[in-house]
Amino acid sequence: MRAKKQNKKRKTWLWVTLSIIGVLLLGAGLYAGYLVKRTNDTVANIQEEVKIEKTKPVVNLEKKDPISILLMGVDERKGDSGRSDSLIYMTVNPNKKEMHMVSIPRDTRTEIVGNNTTDKINHAYAFGGTSMAIATVQKFLGVDVDYFVKVNMESFKQIVDTVGGIEINNHLAFTYEKETFEKGPITLNGEQALKYSRMRYEDPDGDFGRQLRQRKVIEAVIAKGANVQSITKFGDMLSVVENNVKTNLSFDNMWDMVSNYRDASSKMVQHSIEGKDTKIDGVYYLEVPEEARTALTKELQESLDITPSTASSN
C-alpha cells in the first residue's frame, strides 16, 4: 500500500494538464493574425483569480524553474455547485527532462482545508470552489500548486465532437448507460467519450481504472486536435474552451511553457495512490496510509528540486 510509479516514454509532450488549451496554442502558431489574437482573447476570458498560499517563491518560467500544475475535471451541471470529478497533479522539470503525474482518487479521505472537516477530497470543490480544492490538494500531497486548469467534464462531449471524434485502444470491454465498448481500437463521439470516461463501479480497478480511461480520452483529444488544419474548427474549439475552462495561466505563461519546457517530454513518471477501502458511517472512503503519503511527498519534492532543508525552511 505504497505509491507505485512507472516510467513511460512519450514521443510528444503529454499536455494533460493543459488539456485542449495546449492544442489551441500549438495550432494557433501555424497561423498569423486572427487566430493568435482570438486565442489571446480566449485565454484572457478564461482567467480565474485564485489566491494560492505557497511555501516557496513564485516560479520563473523564463529561467526554467520546475513547476507544478493541477488539472481539475469538474462535474458542474445547471443548478449544482459541482464537485471535482478528476484531480491530476503534475510536476514539470525541464532541467531533469522529466515530468511526474499523480491521479488522486476522488474518494481519498483527507482534511478539507478551510472547512474544518475530514471528507472525500473531491468534496473540497463543492464546499469551497477552486481555492479550497487547491489548498486541500496541497495539504494532502505536501507540495505547492503553481498553476491550475479547470475543465468542465460536460464539455468533453463538445470537445470530442469538435475535433471529429477520437480513436483509442480500449483495454476493458464493458457496457455503461446502454453503450457497449468493445476491447481493442474503438472510435468515440462526444457522448460516447463522456460515458466511457465516467464508468467506475463495473471496472475491476475501480477509480484507478476510470482515471486511466479519462487520460486516454484527453490524450486522444490532444493527438487529434494537434492535426486540425481548419481555421473554422480552431474557432469552434476556442469557443468550447471559452465556455468550459478556467485557469490562472496567462497567454504569456503558456507560450513560455511551449518554448522552454519541451525537454520535459523525455521522461514521464506516473504515480498511483493506493490505500485501504473503508466505510465510516456507511460512507465509502479510500484511507491512504501516512507512510505512503509521506513517500509520495518526498518523490514530488525531489521532482521539483526541493530538498528537505529547503522545504522545512519555507
Side-chain angles (χ1 to χ4, degrees):
M1 292 189 293
R2 60 188 176 84
K4 294 182 179 179
K5 64 179 181 179
Q6 58 177 3
N7 299 335
K8 291 190 177 181
K9 298 271 184 164
R10 302 297 192 197
K11 291 183 180 178
T12 58
W13 189 356
L14 180 60
W15 281 96
V16 174
T17 53
L18 296 182
S19 190
I20 197 67
I21 295 178
V23 175
L24 297 172
L25 287 172
L26 293 172
L30 301 175
Y31 303 97
Y34 169 75
L35 272 183
V36 173
K37 181 180 184 305
R38 176 72 197 284
T39 304
N40 199 347
D41 291 344
T42 297
V43 173
N45 290 334
I46 63 176
Q47 293 297 298
E48 180 177 346
E49 291 187 16
V50 175
K51 184 178 180 180
I52 302 177
E53 299 290 341
K54 300 172 65 174
T55 63
K56 61 184 179 65
V58 176
V59 295
N60 188 321
L61 299 178
E62 292 184 355
K63 292 183 178 179
K64 297 186 178 183
D65 287 346
I67 60 172
S68 61
I69 310 172
L70 178 66
L71 173 66
M72 294 185 286
V74 299
D75 193 0
E76 290 182 314
R77 306 178 190 186
K78 195 171 183 180
D80 184 3
S81 60
R83 63 186 59 189
S84 55
D85 193 62
S86 177
L87 291 168
I88 300 175
Y89 181 87
M90 293 188 72
T91 68
V92 187
N93 192 323
N95 304 307
K96 290 183 176 178
K97 297 183 179 181
E98 66 179 29
M99 302 170 66
H100 287 243
M101 180 171 70
V102 54
S103 295
I104 306 173
R106 55 183 284 165
D107 294 326
T108 300
R109 188 170 184 266
T110 190
E111 175 188 347
I112 307 299
V113 178
N115 198 54
N116 297 319
T117 58
T118 298
D119 207 329
K120 296 184 179 185
I121 198 166
N122 75 315
H123 287 181
Y125 184 81
F127 293 147
T130 304
S131 60
M132 189 171 289
I134 291 174
T136 299
V137 168
Q138 288 186 143
K139 176 75 173 182
F140 175 71
L141 293 179
V143 282
D144 287 342
V145 171
D146 296 314
Y147 302 105
F148 74 89
V149 178
K150 182 175 68 177
V151 182
N152 187 352
M153 298 295 285
E154 283 289 308
S155 70
F156 265 21
K157 291 189 292 186
Q158 301 171 47
I159 292 172
V160 173
D161 286 337
T162 299
V163 299
I166 58 174
E167 295 180 1
I168 62 172
N169 188 18
N170 183 28
H171 68 289
L172 175 69
F174 65 93
T175 298
Y176 180 69
E177 293 186 351
K178 299 181 180 180
E179 194 78 49
T180 298
F181 302 93
E182 301 292 346
K183 188 174 182 178
I186 57 175
T187 300
L188 305 176
N189 61 27
E191 183 69 30
Q192 292 168 331
L194 187 61
K195 291 179 180 179
Y196 177 80
S197 64
R198 276 187 165 156
M199 189 278 286
R200 176 167 58 139
Y201 294 110
E202 296 176 29
D203 194 316
D205 292 325
D207 207 36
F208 298 108
R210 187 175 69 155
Q211 291 167 10
L212 172 61
R213 281 180 276 109
Q214 288 176 346
R215 289 201 298 268
K216 283 178 179 284
V217 170
I218 294 173
E219 290 179 29
V221 168
I222 292 172
K224 187 72 176 289
N227 292 318
V228 168
Q229 298 297 318
S230 167
I231 293 180
T232 301
K233 278 200 172 184
F234 268 111
D236 292 340
M237 291 163 71
L238 285 165
S239 296
V240 173
V241 167
E242 198 162 18
N243 294 327
N244 294 285
V245 176
K246 292 293 182 183
T247 184
N248 64 341
L249 282 162
S250 69
F251 187 80
D252 289 341
N253 289 157
M254 295 178 189
W255 277 118
D256 283 340
M257 288 182 186
V258 170
S259 302
N260 301 328
Y261 286 72
R262 288 183 182 274
D263 287 346
S265 64
S266 299
K267 181 180 179 182
M268 167 65 76
V269 181
Q270 295 198 46
H271 303 261
S272 63
I273 297 175
E274 296 187 356
K276 180 182 179 181
D277 295 346
T278 186
K279 274 190 177 182
I280 300 176
D281 296 328
V283 179
Y284 167 79
Y285 296 96
L286 178 72
E287 288 275 14
V288 180
E290 182 62 21
E291 59 269 24
R293 192 185 67 81
T294 302
L296 178 59
T297 296
K298 184 175 183 295
E299 290 178 330
L300 293 176
Q301 287 178 339
E302 289 175 353
S303 73
L304 291 166
D305 291 340
I306 299 173
T307 62
S309 58
T310 301
S312 61
S313 65
N314 286 323

